[in-house]
């Protein structure tokens, strides 16, 4: 549960999508919007390359990351990216031919059986599951994996379950001999989870890394990150620190038990520390081993322009609209507690100038609501910005400021201290200036910016930038982290410091509703209610662009998330 500052951005490196504490690139969290799964290279997810799918060969993944963390307690990898190649979880994500992502059984026989009150979930493991050493996977191994995610020395992983499991707030992992009673291994096959309250999205939660299986006898907190015991189609066979990681087939993986993974290549090599620009140039050139490679990093703006006029344009895959990029308004700051002032800011912002600053049309679609496209239950409604021109309406903004008797004070705009963030901020600053708003841009080091916006009383900023894509395809992952009042300060990501009891009540009710259609309707209500209070200015739904070599097969981006599905990529012979 982290964001990142380029702005505060939800995700960063696509390799394993680690939420590197609010400090790297654009989210993991980012084209025009043909139907997801379409085969157009500029569509929302190119379904395949021209070559037929095949088994065998070596796939190469070029990433700017210097390492991959294979420990499920620490990893923040999305279910369809790197860790999913090595570690299975109780449930998995399967992308259909229509590009829609759904939760499916993985280690478990189904996506869970829930009690009448929604607080108890039961899972049964499939028959014949084994670790890479041939030992059977048991419910105790999954329980142990969940428990070790609470250990202080293994902090940093996705932690939604830590706020949901009974007794979790007082638990600090298994290394002192204690167990978490709310995670029960009834027998070798049966797992029962006891939650503090009803939670309809629990099947998505158990698709997260902590719900893998870790054999207690093979656990070493210092080395498990590089030498995990595999349960997926691949095992880590060789690591050259800072240079490469080689995955080879796990002979004890049974594809008959796995509907999420293809297991196509015989081996997969992660090439680490690759400069995104250099990697893109290599993929454009498409020679040698690079024909069998894809880039895990977003294609830089300069190469995006280059690709449009080169033979490589058919190998450029751009997602549909994904993460919400937004301007957060500190609703607790002097004068900004007035909704008229916040609406004036919203109307004054030049969203078009912002989009130009981040790469133009291919960088994203204009946003006016809060829930990420591709999320079930998302609804379009008559929002403040729905019919406002992308360049904004400074005259209407001036009228609202006059009605609010705006003091005219200078607004502090805190941003990350880098060129991209500066370009974004300057685009917004110029738009606000047209409405008579004076803005001072305050560049801060990433850690300082993170502390200023997610800790303390919020007195160090009036405005800041954010970008957010949820960790699972539910509006819960959009709305609750950004707008629930209990996420203000103390490391929470409600950086607009928005507090509304009616919104909190809707969030609570939606979270506890186990029927997906009912909860979706509640989340849509919350979206509309919160957006009417204008705590943030929706800017764009960002699009992510990736390049792959000519011999890569099955390279696809679903409607959610806006990243390639590593689990189904193969290479042509």
């Amino acid at each position: 549960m982290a964001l990142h500052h380029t702005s505060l951005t939800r995700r960063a490196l696509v390799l394993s999508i680690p939420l590197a504490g609010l400090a790297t690139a654009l989210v993991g969290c980012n084209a025009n919007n043909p139907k997801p799964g379409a085969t157009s290279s500029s569509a929302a997810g190119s379904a395949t390359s021209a070559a037929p799918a095949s088994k065998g060969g070596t796939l190469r993944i070029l990433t700017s990351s210097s390492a991959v963390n294979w420990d499920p307690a620490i990893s923040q990898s999305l279910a369809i990216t790197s860790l999913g190649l090595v570690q299975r979880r109780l449930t998995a994500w399967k992308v259909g031919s229509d590009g829609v992502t759904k939760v499916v059984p993985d280690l478990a026989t189904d996506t869970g059986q829930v009690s009448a009150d929604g607080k108890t979930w039961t899972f049964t493991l499939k028959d014949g599951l084994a670790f890479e050493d041939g030992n059977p996977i048991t419910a105790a191994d999954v329980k142990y994996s969940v428990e070790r995610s609470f250990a202080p020395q293994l902090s940093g992983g996705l932690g939604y379950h830590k706020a949901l499991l009974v007794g979790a707030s007082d638990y600090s992992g298994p290394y002192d001999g204690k167990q978490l009673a709310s995670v029960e291994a009834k027998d070798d096959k049966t797992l029962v989870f006891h939650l503090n309250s009803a939670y309809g999205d629990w099947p998505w939660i158990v698709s997260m890394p902590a719900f893998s299986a870790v054999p207690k006898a093979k656990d070493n907190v210092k080395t498990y990150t590089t030498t995990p015991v595999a349960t997926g189609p691949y095992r880590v066979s060789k690591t050259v620190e800072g240079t490469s990681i080689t995955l080879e087939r796990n002979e004890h993986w049974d594809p008959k038990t796995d509907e999420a993974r293809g297991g196509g290549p015989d081996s997969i090599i992660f090439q680490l520390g690759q400069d995104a620009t250099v990697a893109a140039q290599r993929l454009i050139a498409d020679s040698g081993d690079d024909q069998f490679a894809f880039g895990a990093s977003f294609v830089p703006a300069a190469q995006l322009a280059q690709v449009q006029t080169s033979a490589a344009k058919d190998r450029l895959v751009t997602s549909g609209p994904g993460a919400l990029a937004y301007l957060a308004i500190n609703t607790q700051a002097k004068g900004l507690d007035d909704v008229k002032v916040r609406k004036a800011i919203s109307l004054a912002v030049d969203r078009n100038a912002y989009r130009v600053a981040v790469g133009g049309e291919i960088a994203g679609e204009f946003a006016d609501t809060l829930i990420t496209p591709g999320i079930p239950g998302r609804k379009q409604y008559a929002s403040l910005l729905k019919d406002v021109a992308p360049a904004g309406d400074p005259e209407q903004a001036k009228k609202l400021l006059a009605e609010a008797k705006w003091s005219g004070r200078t607004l502090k705009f805190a941003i990350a201290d880098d060129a991209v963030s500066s370009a974004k901020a300057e685009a917004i600053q110029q738009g606000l200036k047209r409405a008579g708003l004076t803005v001072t841009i305050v560049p801060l080091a990433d850690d300082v910016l993170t502390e200023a916006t997610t800790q303390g009383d919020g007195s160090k900023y009036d405005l800041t930038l954010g970008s957010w894509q949820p960790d699972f395809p539910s509006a819960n992952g959009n709305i609750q982290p950004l707008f629930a009042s209990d996420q203000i300060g103390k490391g929470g990501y409600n950086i607009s410091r928005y507090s509304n009891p009616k919104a909190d009540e809707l969030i609570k009710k939606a979270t506890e509703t186990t029927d997906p259609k009912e909860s979706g309707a509640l989340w849509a209500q919350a979206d509309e209610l919160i957006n009417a209070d204008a705590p943030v200015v929706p800017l764009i739904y960002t699009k992510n662009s990736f390049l792959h070599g000519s011999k890569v097969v099955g390279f696809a981006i679903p409607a959610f998330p806006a990243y390639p599905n590593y689990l189904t990529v193969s290479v042509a012979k």
Side-chain angles (χ1 to χ4, degrees):
M1 296 172 65
L3 264 111
H4 157 85
H5 265 109
T6 298
S7 60
L8 274 175
T9 298
R10 183 62 183 94
R11 292 195 171 279
L13 304 173
V14 182
L15 169 62
S16 53
I17 317 266
L19 304 157
L22 300 131
T24 50
L26 209 207
V27 309
C29 283
N30 319 329
N32 300 304
N33 194 22
K35 185 177 180 180
T39 55
S40 165
S41 62
S42 62
S46 177
T48 65
S49 52
S54 62
K55 293 285 185 180
T58 297
L59 172 70
R60 297 171 188 270
I61 301 176
L62 312 181
T63 175
S64 59
S65 178
S66 60
V68 180
N69 193 326
W70 302 106
D71 191 319
I74 301 173
S75 174
Q76 296 193 5
S77 173
L78 287 173
I80 63 170
T81 56
S82 57
L83 190 70
L85 297 166
V86 173
Q87 301 284 6
R88 298 176 69 173
R89 304 100 186 262
L90 283 177
T91 61
W93 299 6
K94 183 177 182 178
V95 180
S97 59
D98 58 356
V100 174
T101 301
K102 64 178 182 177
V103 64
V104 297
D106 195 4
L107 295 174
T109 58
D110 57 26
T111 57
Q113 298 297 315
V114 64
S115 61
D117 65 1
K119 295 182 180 182
T120 303
W121 287 83
T122 302
F123 296 82
T124 303
L125 299 188
K126 294 172 180 173
D127 294 329
L129 299 173
F131 290 105
E132 67 173 86
D133 58 9
N135 287 323
I137 297 170
T138 68
D141 297 317
V142 179
K143 171 179 166 65
Y144 182 71
S145 178
V146 176
E147 289 177 334
R148 66 194 293 277
S149 70
F150 287 86
Q153 57 268 57
L154 294 175
S155 63
L158 296 177
Y160 292 87
H161 59 290
K162 297 178 183 180
L164 295 169
L165 289 165
V166 172
S169 60
D170 299 319
Y171 185 65
S172 57
Y175 299 122
D176 58 1
K178 295 179 182 179
Q179 296 187 30
L180 183 59
S182 56
V183 182
E184 291 187 89
K186 291 283 192 181
D187 52 42
D188 283 350
K189 291 288 186 69
T190 309
L191 275 160
V192 181
F193 298 95
H194 301 277
L195 310 184
N196 291 310
S197 62
Y199 194 82
D201 284 321
W202 189 250
W204 290 108
I205 300 301
V206 300
S207 72
M208 293 182 180
F211 295 85
S212 302
V214 175
K216 185 176 182 179
K218 299 287 183 70
D219 183 19
N220 183 320
V221 295
K222 294 181 179 179
T223 62
Y224 209 83
T225 182
T226 54
T227 56
V229 184
T231 56
Y234 300 96
R235 63 182 185 86
V236 180
S237 66
K238 182 180 180 182
T239 299
V240 180
E241 187 174 351
T243 301
S244 67
I245 300 169
T246 301
L247 307 183
E248 293 182 349
R249 287 197 183 278
N250 170 14
E251 63 180 12
H252 292 286
W253 171 71
D254 183 358
K256 294 178 182 177
T257 68
D258 194 333
E259 59 180 295
R261 299 164 182 81
D266 285 334
S267 60
I268 299 174
I269 298 175
F270 287 86
Q271 296 187 355
L272 308 175
Q274 304 296 308
D275 177 81
T277 297
V278 175
Q281 294 286 11
R282 285 170 53 184
L283 291 167
I284 292 170
D286 193 43
S287 63
D289 289 339
D290 290 338
Q291 296 178 69
F292 303 88
F294 72 82
S297 301
F298 308 143
V299 179
Q303 281 65 53
L304 277 177
Q306 178 184 352
V307 168
Q308 304 305 313
T309 58
S310 76
K313 65 181 179 180
D314 291 334
R315 295 183 281 105
L316 178 71
V317 182
T318 298
S319 73
L324 172 67
Y326 60 95
L327 174 69
I329 304 170
N330 185 346
T331 58
Q332 296 182 356
K334 182 180 179 182
L336 300 183
D337 53 352
D338 188 328
V339 68
K340 286 185 177 181
V341 174
R342 299 197 300 271
K343 287 183 175 181
I345 291 171
S346 299
L347 291 168
V349 167
D350 187 338
R351 289 175 292 161
N352 188 58
Y354 174 89
R355 188 169 76 165
V356 169
V358 295
E361 185 176 352
I362 200 170
E365 294 182 359
F366 295 118
D368 64 289
T369 61
L370 305 175
I371 296 175
T372 303
I375 297 292
R378 181 177 182 269
K379 173 181 147 183
Q380 185 65 58
Y381 52 86
S383 67
L384 176 66
L385 296 179
K386 185 176 185 299
D387 297 317
V388 175
D393 188 342
E395 295 308 313
Q396 185 61 29
K398 289 178 182 177
K399 291 179 182 179
L400 286 174
L401 290 171
E403 290 176 16
K405 296 182 173 53
W406 172 243
S407 67
R409 74 176 182 85
T410 299
L411 297 172
K412 293 177 291 185
F413 191 176
I415 64 165
D417 190 7
D418 60 70
V420 173
S421 297
S422 293
K424 294 177 183 178
E426 287 167 6
I428 289 172
Q429 181 188 46
Q430 291 304 310
L432 298 183
K433 183 178 180 181
R434 297 175 308 167
L437 290 159
T438 303
V439 175
T440 296
I441 297 172
V442 184
L444 300 171
D446 283 323
D447 55 347
V448 177
L449 179 59
T450 299
E451 182 177 1
T453 54
T454 68
Q455 305 281 353
D457 62 4
S459 60
K460 297 179 181 179
Y461 71 103
D462 297 304
L463 307 172
T464 193
L465 290 168
S467 183
W468 187 272
Q469 178 164 285
D471 291 304
F472 55 102
S474 168
N476 191 337
N478 276 109
I479 301 298
Q480 189 272 341
L482 299 186
F483 302 109
S485 62
D486 61 4
Q487 298 300 303
I488 298 171
K490 301 176 183 177
Y493 306 127
N494 184 345
I495 56 174
S496 62
R497 298 183 176 253
Y498 173 75
S499 179
N500 182 334
K502 291 182 180 179
D504 283 340
E505 182 58 32
L506 265 178
I507 290 170
K508 181 177 185 297
K509 189 175 180 181
T511 298
E512 295 179 356
T513 299
T514 57
D515 181 273
K517 288 187 178 179
E518 291 181 18
S519 64
L522 290 167
W523 288 119
Q525 288 180 45
D527 185 330
E528 190 165 0
L529 171 69
I530 295 165
N531 207 10
D533 285 338
V536 303
V537 184
L539 298 170
I540 62 172
Y541 301 118
T542 59
K543 297 176 181 180
N544 298 332
S545 293
F546 302 88
L547 271 169
H548 64 81
S550 59
K551 298 297 180 66
V552 171
V553 179
F555 190 87
I557 301 176
F560 177 94
Y563 295 96
N565 183 0
Y566 291 20
L567 310 187
T568 55
V569 178
S570 61
V571 293
K573 292 181 179 178

